[in-house]
Structure formats: C-alpha cells, structure tokens
Amino acid sequence: MSGQFWDETAFQTLFAELGNIPLYEVYELTRPAVPGELIHGISILHSGIVGNEYFMTKGHYHVVLETSELYHCLSGQGVMVMENLDGEWEILELRPGVSLYVLPGWAHRSVNTSPTEDLISLFAYPGNAGHDYGTIETQGFRKLVINRSGSPAVINNPRWLAPTERL
Ligand code: PAN
Ligand code: ZN
C-alpha cells in the first residue's frame, strides 16, 4: 500500500512502528477464469487511520471492463468508493445487511470508517474479470474518504492524476 495514501509520511511512520501488518485480508475460492464462473470470498478490512485517511483496500478496475461485482456487507461500517473512466464517481455506504452492486467499468475500493470494528464483506465476481491495479496505482481515485473531527468526509484527492489518454 506504499504510495496509496495521501499522507505517505504518515504511512511510512506507521509502517516503521508496526512493521508490515496487513491492513486487510481476502479469502476467496478461486475458480477457472471463464465468464460462467463466480469467484467469491470474504474481505476483512481492519480499522485504522493513516494520517486522516481511513484504512482502505488498494482498489482496482477489472481487466475485463464489462464485468461487474456484488458485495454484501456482513459486519462493520464503511463505504465503497467507485469511479469510471468517464469521470463519474459514486460513494455508497456499507453496513451489515447492505448489498452493493459495482457496475461494469467501475473501479472500486472499500474504506473502513469504524474506529474499532473490522469491515467484513462477501463478494462475487465473474471468473474472467482479472484485476488491473496499475491504473489506480498511477492516477489514484478522484475522491478520498477522510476522518474529519470523528466523522467520515469526502474530499477531492489532491494527488489525483488525470489520465493523459482515454481508452
Ligand atoms: C475484491 C477485492 C478485495 C481487496 O475481492 O479484491 O476487496 O481489494 P483489492 O483487490 O483492491 O486489494 C474484489 O473487488 N475483487 O474483484
Ligand atoms: Zn473487483
């Protein structure tokens, strides 16, 4: 996750203090990479803060942009940050019992906004989806979710880089 948080100094300080601790864990049943299969599993995103940014997943597009994903929150509280290559974005709440659909073509990242609890979600996506981490690594998400006086707030990502070329 180095380079993914807005406050890289805070990330490096935490890393130096705690070592290479996992911010999140993913357990999934791998299935053949074909459209008829559903890869599914559980994501456990721990609670914590880097600078004033909540612990979050790295986030990605699917390599096959036409593939979608279903999330169902089992426990905790958080949000799903989503955006597409046309510049649209959306941030939806995750709380126990909420199902959330990530549309084809939308990058997605989950963020744990609880001060104490893990954010635990079940997910399922097509076997052929694949993961493109590079696009988000390079340009980031347009929006960040930060802790402002104890509550989540959405801000523009000051480090967001517009793609020089659109697909
Ligand atoms: C999820 C994610 C999981 C971890 O299974 O892979 O939440 O997030 P990152 O992959 O961004 O590190 C999913 O969206 N699969 O497609
Ligand atoms: Zn995905």
Side-chain angles (χ1 to χ4, degrees):
M1 290 296 283
S2 178
Q4 300 306 301
F5 288 94
W6 176 31
D7 188 342
E8 179 65 15
T9 308
F11 178 79
Q12 292 302 339
T13 305
L14 189 75
F15 189 77
E17 272 171 21
L18 300 179
N20 196 11
I21 53 149
L23 306 193
Y24 58 98
E25 299 162 55
V26 178
Y27 301 92
E28 68 179 19
L29 184 67
T30 305
R31 297 292 305 162
V34 296
E37 292 280 358
L38 279 180
I39 298 173
H40 54 286
I42 300 275
S43 140
I44 303 172
L45 174 54
H46 301 305
S47 164
I49 294 268
V50 175
N52 60 2
E53 209 174 348
Y54 297 106
F55 277 13
M56 62 192 186
T57 58
K58 192 164 188 182
H60 57 266
Y61 281 95
H62 291 166
V63 173
V64 179
L65 280 174
E66 297 76 23
T67 57
S68 57
E69 184 156 352
L70 180 71
Y71 276 80
H72 183 78
C73 181
L74 299 171
S75 67
Q77 70 181 51
V79 294
M80 185 71 75
V81 177
M82 296 173 281
E83 68 179 50
N84 66 18
L85 294 170
D86 294 327
E88 297 171 290
W89 62 274
E90 187 149 25
I91 297 180
L92 295 177
E93 193 186 358
L94 285 167
R95 58 188 150 74
V98 165
S99 293
L100 190 152
Y101 184 55
V102 179
L103 287 164
W106 285 66
H108 41 288
R109 155 183 288 165
S110 34
V111 178
N112 184 346
T113 57
S114 165
T116 53
E117 271 186 85
D118 287 344
L119 176 65
I120 306 180
S121 306
L122 179 141
F123 60 82
Y125 59 94
N128 65 325
H131 293 95
D132 162 19
Y133 290 102
T135 304
I136 293 299
E137 266 173 21
T138 309
Q139 71 187 40
F141 277 83
R142 289 172 170 78
K143 301 290 171 182
L144 302 180
V145 182
I146 62 159
N147 179 323
R148 184 183 286 152
S149 311
S151 299
V154 176
I155 61 165
N156 289 328
N157 180 359
R159 292 171 53 198
W160 183 74
L161 282 180
T164 49
E165 247 183 47
R166 287 281 157 83
L167 295 177

